[in-house]
């Protein structure tokens, strides 16, 4: 049964219990042809453990919204609280710290570092965070995604599906509070995509991570607990759906 | 299509690096071309200064007729001098000093090139003389004033005239090195000469007509004068003047060529890197074009056309920039050398375009044309391996282009081939060294953590790329090291060799029985024992049994070469004898007698002289020595380094053969400058000796060498700049990967500091490796160049390693951090989108 999101209810949510709180978020860019509004007054909140799909047509502002929520980009107006941290108040290094501590990423084009092996790609966020033991958890999670035998392979030696598994392993190895996924199956065939979706949700269930994903894939969107629909940079509906 | 593509690429900012590299290539080559051109013209001017003009006609009779007429041509200036021997008197009857000297009457405007350097007292400060002596005054050579004990203001009696001494001449603009010219020289205004009453029937007057002006006009004069020379007249131009000067010019020319061609190589490296990057960035769009039905021919036309257009635009920018740069440099050079630097010609501009296109086609075209083989499938699979051109093709095209450029720029097949082999060997050595060092880094990496580890990991994981980068950076650095350190070292060594070994006193007319006393005299003063060379004067009388006549039997000799031969037959020769050869003499044909005294007299002849006389090994040559005949066989030919400033003889006779002929001895030695009393003590002890102070001559030679060095230095600064820019192009070539990695690391929570550290450690490692390999290769190559091309000894210089490593780290880190600064500054989402987009 769809209902309005937290922002629109009378009951104010407890910020401590929210994974994400987005208020009046706007993003405008200047182009030679004039100012372009990509996002306009978007607001909603997401609780810990939620799974949320952001859907909408191409150019509706989905990826921009994702970038702003993850602190990859800065908004023109409004604010984002990520696990209680006000991203707008932080500088780029501060946001990087928050990302390192609380955020995981899965990209459509995998974004594995071509010069690193599968194992090293997974070890990277742990190393950046300064963990003492980086190899054990990395090996363990790669085994879990079914790549225990291919630790020393470079991205170019792996298929698209395998690369995305490495990306999933890299995203989950830090046990992030929120995991953002940008079209995680966009570059994969249906079958492989399906397998990746299964893996994504099983890892998510296991770690209790909040999952926010941008997708065109209705099947994938349907797996999520909630769906945010964007149109022309505005939030048109926020549906809670039965999983 | 090509034009549209070019405009699109420009608009997208994708051609910046390739364009930059090409502009740099053309700029470097053309600017060096311009500067070299101007420097060579300046050096030619400087050499002309030594003639006092651009061309000189000498004769024993007044220079009238055709020659005089030719000197009046538009665009020419001319003047004349007259010289004759004369007695010179100073002082009154009670204290009269008298010397037999040389009179030189200078026409208004002399010298047309260069200046007299004069002083007011024997040890006063030097200055340029304004023009020629005023009417009623004379100048005296410093040595002459010393010998005559004359001071400024003294009246000098010449013939019937009394002229006031107004300056002492330290250096004549056109003083030819004549070791035996020890007589005082007097300079007076040509207008004062008739009043001396010295010019009479039968006076031994020598005339010089000096001409200078625009190059074309001078060429015209030389042509006319050569045709119209009367008997007893000869023409001297800078080309046949001063063998030691020519040798210095040749050496300078080689240095300049070397500088130019190193820049060509650096530029080519930059273009190859930028083209590879350009090609990589075009993979997707080319795959799309393939999908849309573009044929390979269309792709070649599009990319090839774009390349050609780019080449033309880049070459034009490069040539224009080069013109402005050489203009600035020319002004500076002109100020630094205190001489006029002629304007540059248009040839370097044409060469610039040629180099731009050749470099682009041989180094830039292969990776870009390989785009035609991009599979359409890449539209669907971005991860498909990029299409690389056949490495054989790239290698061959590169080597062929490089060989052509080297040959052309070096101007000599030998130097070109040496450099080409050097570069190929260098690249091989660099790659091998880089590979070895990267293996070391790989081991080291596991001991490090975090950013440092990832920085070094990048170096060792991308081993092939790193080898390529280190090799390329290494080549740039090697050039820098070669150009700065080695060049300085070579020049220093040459100058030191000149300064330390060059004798500054020639002692002539030592008699047989004075040899031992003279050695004792030197020993008393702690000076090394002089090498005394016997000297016997003889006139050439027969060649292979044919008598040599003073004048040819039938008509006048026609060519300049024949005239020179004629002069050589007419004059007296200083014959000497030696059992061994010094290192400035090298046997080029036949066998030198060495310690074994041959039974019959033998001759060793300087090769240039032998060839002008038509003498060959085995020829029999006879000399008339004071009425006695000496006949000997030519058994060896020698090459003589005239610039060694030591007594050298065109004809050497085997030991013993000169016994019985009246000989005097000559020696040259280095007397420390602080021994100011040396000459007077020596002459007081041995009054018959003539001592020639060649300090002034040496000073002139050294100042020429200094000027040559300054010009060479300017040219090398261009190469240095080119090398630095290549280094940045090398960093740029891997920028996409770095941006991507930086962006991903930022997304994964890497801080600015961590990122910076990772980048810095990687660049530092690459820079260090490059520097070390460059230092090793530079030492090797410098050894080859020093010993094979310049004939100088070589030893390894360990400072190279330190400087190379330091420079490599500094350059790679600063250029790398500058090139990747956007990774730190831009929001990660922008960086990722840009690189992936």
């Amino acid at each position: 049964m769809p209902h309005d999101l937290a922002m629109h209810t009378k009951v104010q949510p407890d910020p401590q219990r929210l994974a994400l709180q987005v208020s009046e978020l706007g993003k405008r860019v200047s182009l030679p042809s004039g100012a372009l509004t990509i996002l306009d007054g978007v607001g909603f909140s997401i609780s810990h453990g939620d799974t949320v799909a952001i859907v909408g047509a191409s150019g509706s502002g989905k990826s921009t919204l994702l970038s702003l929520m993850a602190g990859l980009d800065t908004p023109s107006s409004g604010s984002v609280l990520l696990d209680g941290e006000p991203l707008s108040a932080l500088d780029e290094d501060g946001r990087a710290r928050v990302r390192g501590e609380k955020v995981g990423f899965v990209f459509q084009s995998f974004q594995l570092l071509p010069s690193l092996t599968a194992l090293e790609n997974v070890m990277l966020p742990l190393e950046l965070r300064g963990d003492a033991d980086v190899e054990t958890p990395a090996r363990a999670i790669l085994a879990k995604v079914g790549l225990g035998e291919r630790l020393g392979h470079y991205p170019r030696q792996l298929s698209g599906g395998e690369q995305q598994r490495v990306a999933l392993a890299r995203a989950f190895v830090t046990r992030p509070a929120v995991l953002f996924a940008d079209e995680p199956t966009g570059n994969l065939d249906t079958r492989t995509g399906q397998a990746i979706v299964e893996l994504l949700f099983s890892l998510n269930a296991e770690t209790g991570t909040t999952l926010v994903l941008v997708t065109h894939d209705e099947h994938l969107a349907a797996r999520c607990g909630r769906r945010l629909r964007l149109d022309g940079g505005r939030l048109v509906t926020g549906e809670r759906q039965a999983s | 299509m090509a034009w549209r593509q070019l405009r699109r690429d420009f608009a997208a900012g994708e051609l910046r690096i390739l364009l930059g590299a090409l502009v740099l290539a053309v700029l470097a080559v053309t600017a060096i071309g311009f500067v070299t051109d101007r420097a060579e013209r300046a050096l030619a001017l400087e050499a002309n200064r030594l003639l006092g003009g651009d061309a000189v006609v000498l004769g024993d009779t007044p220079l009238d007729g055709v020659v005089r007429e030719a000197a009046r041509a538009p665009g020419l200036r001319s003047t004349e001098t007259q010289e004759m021997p004369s007695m010179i008197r100073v002082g009154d009857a009670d204290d009269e000093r008298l010397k037999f000297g040389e009179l030189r009457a200078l026409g208004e405007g002399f010298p047309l090139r260069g200046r007299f350097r004069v002083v007011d007292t024997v040890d006063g400060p030097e200055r340029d003389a304004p023009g020629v002596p005023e009417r009623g005054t004379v100048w005296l050579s410093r040595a002459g004033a010393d010998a005559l004990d004359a001071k400024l203001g003294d009246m000098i009696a010449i013939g019937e005239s009394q002229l006031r001494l107004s300056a002492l001449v330290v250096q004549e603009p056109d003083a030819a090195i004549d070791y035996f010219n020890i007589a005082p020289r007097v300079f007076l205004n040509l207008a004062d000469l008739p009043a001396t009453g010295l010019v009479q029937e039968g006076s031994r007057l020598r005339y010089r007509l000096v001409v200078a002006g625009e190059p074309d006009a001078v060429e015209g004069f030389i042509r006319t004068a050569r045709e119209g020379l009367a008997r007893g007249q000869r023409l001297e131009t800078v080309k046949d003047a001063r063998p030691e000067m020519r040798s210095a010019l040749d050496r300078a020319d080689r240095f300049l060529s070397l500088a130019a061609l190193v820049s060509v190589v650096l530029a080519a490296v930059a273009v190859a890197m930028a083209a590879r990057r350009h090609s990589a960035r075009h993979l997707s769009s080319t795959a799309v074009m393939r999908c849309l039905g573009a044929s390979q021919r269309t792709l070649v036309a599009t990319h090839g056309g774009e390349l050609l257009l780019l080449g033309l635009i880049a070459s034009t920018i490069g040539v224009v920039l080069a013109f402005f740069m050489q203009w600035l440099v020319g002004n500076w050079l002109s100020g630094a050398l205190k001489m006029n630097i002629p304007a540059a010609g248009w040839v370097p501009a044409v060469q610039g375009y040629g180099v731009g296109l050749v470099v682009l086609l041989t180094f830039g075209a292969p990776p870009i044309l390989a785009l035609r083989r991009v599979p359409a499938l890449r539209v669907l699979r971005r991860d498909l391996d990029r299409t690389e051109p056949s490495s054989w093709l790239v290698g061959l095209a590169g080597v062929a282009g490089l060989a052509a450029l080297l040959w052309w720029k070096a101007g000599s097949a030998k130097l070109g081939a040496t450099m080409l082999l050097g570069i190929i060997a260098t690249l091989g050595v660099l790659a091998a060294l880089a590979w070895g060092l990267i293996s070391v880094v790989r081991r080291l990496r596991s001991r490090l953590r975090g950013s440092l580890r990832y920085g070094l990991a990048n170096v060792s994981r991308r081993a092939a790329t790193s080898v390529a980068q280190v090799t390329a950076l290494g080549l740039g650095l090697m050039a820098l090291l070669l150009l700065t350190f080695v060049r300085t070292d070579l020049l220093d060594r040459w100058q030191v060799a000149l300064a330390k070994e060059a004798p500054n006193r020639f002692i002539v007319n030592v008699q047989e029985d004075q040899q031992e006393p003279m050695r004792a005299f030197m020993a008393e003063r702690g000076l090394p024992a002089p090498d005394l060379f016997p000297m016997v004067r003889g006139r050439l009388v027969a060649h292979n049994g044919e008598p040599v006549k003073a004048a040819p039997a039938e008509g006048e000799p026609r060519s300049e070469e024949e005239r020179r031969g004629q002069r050589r037959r007419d004059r007296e020769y200083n014959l000497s004898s030696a059992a061994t050869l010094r290192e400035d003499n090298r046997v080029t044909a036949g066998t030198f007698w060495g310690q074994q005294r041959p039974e019959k007299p033998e001759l060793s002849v300087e090769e240039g002289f032998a060839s002008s006389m038509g003498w060959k090994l085995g020829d029999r040559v006879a000399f008339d020595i004071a009425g006695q005949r000496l006949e000997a066989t030519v058994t060896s030919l020698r090459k003589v380094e005239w610039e060694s400033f030591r007594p050298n003889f065109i004809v050497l006779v085997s030991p013993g053969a000169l016994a019985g002929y009246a000989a005097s001895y000559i020696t040259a030695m280095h007397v420390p400058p602080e021994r100011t009393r040396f000459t007077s003590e020596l002459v007081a002890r041995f009054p018959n000796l003539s001592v020639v102070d060649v300090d002034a001559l040496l000073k002139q030679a050294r100042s020429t060498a200094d000027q040559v060095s300054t010009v060479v230095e300017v040219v090398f600064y261009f190469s240095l700049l080119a090398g630095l820019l290549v280094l940045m192009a090398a960093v740029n070539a891997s920028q996409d990967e770095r941006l991507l990695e930086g962006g991903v690391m930022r997304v994964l929570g890497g801080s600015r500091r961590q990122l910076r550290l990772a980048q810095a450690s990687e660049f530092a490692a690459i820079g260090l490796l490059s520097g070390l390999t460059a230092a090793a290769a530079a030492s090797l190559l410098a050894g080859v160049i020093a010993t094979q091309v310049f004939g100088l000894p070589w030893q390894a210089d360990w400072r190279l390693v330190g400087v190379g490593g330091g420079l490599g780290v500094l350059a790679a880190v600063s250029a790398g951090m500058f090139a990747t600064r956007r990774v730190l500054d831009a929001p990660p989402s922008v960086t990722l989108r840009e690189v992936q987009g």
Side-chain angles (χ1 to χ4, degrees):
Chain A
M1 185 73 164
H3 70 261
D4 283 344
L5 272 168
M7 177 86 201
H8 302 282
T9 59
K10 300 270 161 43
V11 183
Q12 286 299 314
D14 175 3
Q16 294 303 315
R17 297 192 53 240
L18 291 178
L20 269 167
Q21 186 174 11
V22 175
S23 316
E24 288 299 324
L25 202 60
K27 179 74 179 175
R28 282 171 292 280
V29 290
S30 305
L31 294 174
S33 49
L36 176 70
T37 302
I38 302 174
L39 281 182
D40 187 15
V42 174
F44 56 86
S45 52
I46 296 171
S47 302
H48 279 294
D50 275 2
T51 53
V52 179
I54 300 171
V55 294
S58 290
S60 57
K62 307 186 294 290
S63 293
T64 304
L65 177 59
L66 191 79
S67 293
L68 294 175
M69 286 191 290
L72 297 183
D73 204 350
T74 48
S76 309
S77 58
S79 66
V80 176
L81 280 181
L82 196 153
D83 200 26
E85 298 260 13
L87 291 185
S88 310
L90 299 172
D91 61 5
E92 175 48 38
D93 266 352
R95 293 197 298 275
R97 177 185 52 76
V98 171
R99 285 196 297 271
E101 287 169 1
K102 305 185 171 181
V103 174
F105 273 98
V106 178
F107 299 95
Q108 176 177 4
S109 48
F110 324 137
Q111 302 290 21
L112 299 179
L113 296 193
S115 57
L116 305 192
T117 62
L119 178 63
E120 287 163 341
N121 262 294
V122 177
M123 280 156 58
L124 180 60
L126 298 173
E127 289 219 332
L128 290 171
R129 198 164 70 176
D131 282 12
D133 181 16
V134 296
E135 204 167 320
T136 317
R139 281 176 181 276
I141 198 153
L142 275 168
K144 191 169 286 175
V145 300
L147 291 173
E149 304 299 312
R150 312 199 60 178
L151 302 175
H153 285 63
Y154 286 92
R156 63 171 184 278
Q157 298 167 317
L158 301 171
S159 71
E162 287 167 336
Q163 288 190 48
Q164 196 61 305
R165 283 165 195 250
V166 177
L168 283 178
R170 184 177 68 182
F172 279 102
V173 75
T174 55
R175 301 197 156 259
V178 185
L179 188 133
F180 294 100
D182 185 6
E183 300 276 15
T185 57
N187 270 4
L188 302 171
D189 62 73
T190 317
R191 238 178 103 156
T192 314
Q194 208 75 53
I196 288 295
V197 169
E198 293 306 325
L199 188 58
L200 173 64
F201 279 92
S202 88
L203 286 169
N204 184 56
E206 200 174 305
T207 53
T209 301
T210 307
L211 181 63
V212 181
L213 52 88
V214 162
T215 186
H216 279 110
D217 182 347
E218 284 298 327
H219 291 292
L220 179 53
R223 294 284 301 265
C224 294
R226 280 160 56 187
R227 192 185 299 216
L228 302 177
R229 185 172 297 279
L230 284 176
D231 185 14
R234 293 179 150 270
L235 191 62
V236 288
T237 52
E239 308 143 6
R240 184 170 289 280
Q241 49 198 18
S243 5
Chain B
M1 188 92 159
W3 178 243
R4 277 204 304 275
Q5 171 96 11
L6 184 68
R7 273 181 29 202
R8 266 201 302 272
D9 283 348
F10 260 126
E14 291 198 348
L15 283 177
R16 264 178 238 154
I17 287 162
L18 186 57
L19 182 82
L22 262 180
V23 168
L24 167 70
V26 177
L27 172 64
V29 172
T30 317
I32 284 173
F34 276 135
V35 172
T36 309
D37 188 52
R38 297 186 69 176
E40 276 169 1
R41 283 160 188 248
L43 284 173
L45 257 191
E46 174 65 10
N48 290 353
R49 195 180 65 75
L50 295 165
L51 282 181
D54 296 337
V56 175
V57 178
L58 302 96
D60 324 329
T61 50
L63 301 162
D64 296 323
V66 181
V67 172
R68 172 76 62 181
E69 204 54 48
R72 294 204 186 98
L76 286 182
R77 291 178 295 138
S78 65
T79 183
E80 65 181 306
T81 69
Q82 294 176 18
E83 286 161 52
M84 64 185 302
S86 166
M87 291 307 291
I88 300 162
R89 276 178 294 133
V90 184
D92 50 30
D94 297 341
D95 178 25
E96 191 182 62
R97 281 93 69 199
L98 198 68
K99 284 256 178 200
F100 193 65
E102 187 79 24
L103 209 60
R104 200 163 179 210
L106 311 173
E108 282 305 329
F110 184 87
L112 299 177
R113 305 280 186 218
R115 282 263 181 277
F116 279 91
R117 297 282 293 167
V118 296
V119 291
D120 293 330
T121 56
V122 171
D123 42 9
E126 280 181 32
R127 59 184 169 85
D128 278 343
V132 297
E134 283 174 30
R135 299 281 310 260
T137 69
V138 289
W139 300 341
L140 198 52
S141 61
R142 179 160 63 176
D146 206 16
L148 285 161
D149 195 19
K151 289 177 293 299
L152 240 58
D154 284 356
M155 295 309 282
I156 312 281
I158 296 161
E160 293 161 14
S161 297
Q162 287 277 339
L163 302 164
R164 191 172 48 80
L165 180 59
S166 67
L168 306 182
V169 174
V170 180
Q171 191 181 316
E172 288 177 62
D174 55 343
I177 296 179
D178 183 352
Y179 303 133
F180 310 105
N181 187 355
I182 50 168
R185 286 168 74 78
V186 178
F187 306 86
L188 70 159
N189 196 300
L190 186 60
D192 282 339
L193 188 62
T196 61
L198 292 172
V199 184
Q200 290 169 1
E201 195 66 34
S203 298
R204 288 173 54 203
L205 213 55
R206 292 187 307 281
Y207 299 83
R208 275 171 176 258
L209 177 68
V210 186
V211 168
E214 291 158 16
D216 289 347
V218 172
E219 277 302 313
F221 172 78
I222 289 173
R223 267 197 310 276
T224 319
R226 190 162 278 154
E227 293 298 314
L229 282 181
R231 189 172 181 165
Q233 296 180 351
R234 65 192 164 96
L235 175 73
E236 271 189 7
T237 65
V238 66
K239 291 198 181 79
D240 42 37
R242 309 286 303 274
E244 81 288 351
M245 191 62 216
R246 282 244 57 89
S247 169
L249 272 175
D250 281 351
R251 199 162 289 203
D253 194 40
R254 280 192 192 175
F255 267 120
L256 297 178
S257 301
L258 180 67
L261 60 88
V262 169
S263 300
V264 173
V265 174
L266 291 179
V269 171
V271 167
M273 285 176 174
R276 197 163 172 270
R277 179 178 154 89
H278 179 73
S279 151
R281 294 191 73 129
H282 267 277
L283 285 175
S284 302
S285 60
T286 308
V288 171
M289 282 176 77
R290 290 287 277 160
C291 273
L292 297 178
S295 66
Q296 289 207 349
R297 183 192 293 255
T298 312
L299 289 175
V300 169
T302 310
H303 290 297
E306 183 184 16
L307 212 59
L308 270 176
L309 285 170
L310 182 74
L312 285 175
I313 293 172
S315 300
T316 305
I317 299 176
V319 166
V320 170
L321 284 178
F323 187 81
F324 280 108
M325 280 178 93
Q326 63 84 25
W327 181 72
L328 289 175
V329 171
N331 284 349
W332 171 81
L333 202 62
S334 183
L337 298 184
K338 295 189 186 67
M339 62 195 235
N340 276 330
I341 309 279
W346 51 269
V347 176
V350 176
Q351 291 178 346
Y353 277 96
V355 167
L357 292 178
V358 168
V359 165
L360 186 62
L361 292 180
T362 51
F363 289 84
I368 288 178
L369 291 183
L371 279 173
R372 72 185 192 281
R373 295 202 307 270
V374 169
L377 186 61
R378 202 179 179 282
V379 171
L380 305 174
R381 296 237 359 228
R382 281 189 67 112
D383 53 328
L384 272 185
D385 277 350
R386 56 169 298 169
T387 343
E388 289 285 356
S390 141
S391 48
W392 278 108
L393 180 74
V394 178
L396 273 180
V399 168
L402 195 59
L405 288 173
L406 286 177
W407 187 18
W408 168 60
K409 282 310 264 185
S412 108
K414 186 187 169 194
L415 186 57
T418 308
M419 286 301 294
L420 182 64
L421 283 179
I423 288 165
I424 292 173
T426 305
L427 287 177
V429 171
L430 281 173
L433 282 172
W435 194 266
L437 287 171
I438 285 168
S439 310
V440 175
V441 167
R442 187 175 287 139
R443 287 200 197 112
L444 194 68
R445 158 197 155 196
S446 58
R447 301 188 185 180
L448 297 168
R449 273 192 61 87
S451 301
L452 271 180
R453 177 175 167 179
Y454 276 92
L456 286 192
N458 274 346
V459 176
S460 57
R461 279 181 190 133
R462 284 182 295 192
T465 317
S466 294
V467 168
Q469 276 188 326
V470 169
T471 307
L473 286 185
L475 185 66
L477 277 172
M478 190 195 73
L480 300 191
L481 291 178
L482 212 54
L483 295 183
T484 49
F485 255 74
V486 177
R487 185 260 313 171
T488 315
D489 196 57
L490 283 179
L491 273 181
D492 281 355
R493 225 169 316 163
W494 178 41
Q495 289 199 0
V496 164
L498 196 61
K500 272 199 179 152
E501 292 169 19
N504 53 6
R505 296 288 190 288
F506 274 76
I507 302 165
V508 190
N509 204 26
V510 181
Q511 300 303 304
E512 188 82 47
D513 58 356
Q514 285 177 325
Q515 293 190 61
E516 278 316 310
M518 226 183 82
R519 289 198 177 101
F521 176 88
M522 299 299 172
E524 281 165 25
R525 280 151 188 83
L527 292 167
D531 280 335
L532 288 157
F533 301 92
M535 209 165 76
V536 172
R537 288 177 83 79
R539 187 175 289 277
L540 181 64
V541 287
H543 174 225
N544 283 341
E546 292 282 313
V548 174
K549 291 178 183 157
E554 294 167 23
E556 278 286 299
R558 297 244 166 101
S559 72
E560 180 63 21
E561 194 62 25
E562 282 173 317
R563 286 198 177 100
R564 204 175 296 137
Q566 177 66 46
R567 283 201 303 278
R568 284 173 172 171
R569 280 191 284 276
D570 290 350
R571 58 171 263 210
E572 276 199 327
Y573 290 95
N574 292 313
L575 307 178
S576 188
S577 183
T580 53
L581 287 181
R582 280 194 319 260
E583 68 273 21
D584 56 350
N585 278 251
R586 194 160 50 80
V587 175
T588 54
T591 319
F592 189 73
W593 46 78
Q595 295 296 348
Q596 273 129 26
R597 177 178 295 201
E599 289 174 9
K600 290 183 173 173
E602 294 184 5
L603 297 180
S604 176
V605 186
E606 198 266 331
E607 58 174 10
F609 177 78
S611 101
S612 74
M613 298 294 280
W615 294 0
K616 284 180 274 313
L617 287 181
D619 282 6
R620 295 191 59 72
V621 178
F623 290 93
D624 174 9
I625 303 168
Q628 289 177 278
R629 188 180 168 97
L630 168 75
E631 184 151 3
T633 310
V634 178
T635 56
S636 65
L637 301 180
R638 283 170 297 130
K639 191 175 173 63
V640 176
E641 284 176 34
W642 294 106
E643 71 271 27
S644 69
F645 284 90
R646 289 167 162 196
N648 265 305
F649 298 89
I650 286 172
V651 180
L652 281 178
V653 186
S654 56
L658 290 180
Y661 295 104
S664 69
Y665 289 78
I666 174 175
T667 188
M669 58 186 301
H670 181 82
V671 178
E674 60 273 15
R675 300 277 183 104
T676 47
R677 302 282 304 149
F678 173 82
T679 306
S680 49
E681 285 173 10
L682 184 68
V683 176
R685 175 81 175 273
F686 307 100
N688 66 306
L689 291 193
S690 299
V691 181
V692 183
D693 182 347
V694 289
D695 267 342
L697 298 172
L698 268 179
K699 211 169 164 185
Q700 190 179 345
R702 204 165 301 144
S703 111
T704 306
D706 278 348
Q707 291 181 354
V708 170
S709 314
T710 310
V711 171
V712 169
E713 227 167 80
V714 171
V715 174
F716 279 148
Y717 280 126
F718 271 95
S719 301
L720 202 125
L721 196 67
L724 267 179
L725 288 168
V726 167
L727 206 133
M728 292 195 72
V731 173
N732 271 335
S734 60
Q735 196 181 13
D736 281 355
E737 275 172 57
R738 293 174 197 290
L739 282 170
L740 176 65
E741 294 189 7
V744 172
M745 282 174 77
R746 290 293 266 166
V747 168
L748 297 180
S751 70
R752 201 179 261 267
R753 204 184 136 269
Q754 284 175 315
L755 221 66
R756 196 178 283 147
L757 194 63
Q759 286 173 350
S761 59
E762 181 184 346
F763 289 131
I766 285 190
L768 187 67
L769 298 189
S770 308
L772 294 182
T773 49
S779 294
L780 269 174
L781 190 56
V784 174
I785 293 174
T787 54
Q788 302 302 308
V789 182
F790 297 109
L792 290 170
W794 180 251
Q795 71 236 16
D797 184 351
W798 293 107
R799 285 173 308 165
L800 273 177
V801 176
V803 174
L807 205 63
V809 170
L810 191 72
V813 169
S814 47
M817 298 308 274
F818 176 77
T820 52
R821 69 198 183 283
R822 280 194 300 140
V823 180
L824 298 173
D825 296 340
S829 61
V830 176
T831 307
L832 287 179
R833 219 174 18 239
E834 201 171 293
V835 177
Q836 289 294 299

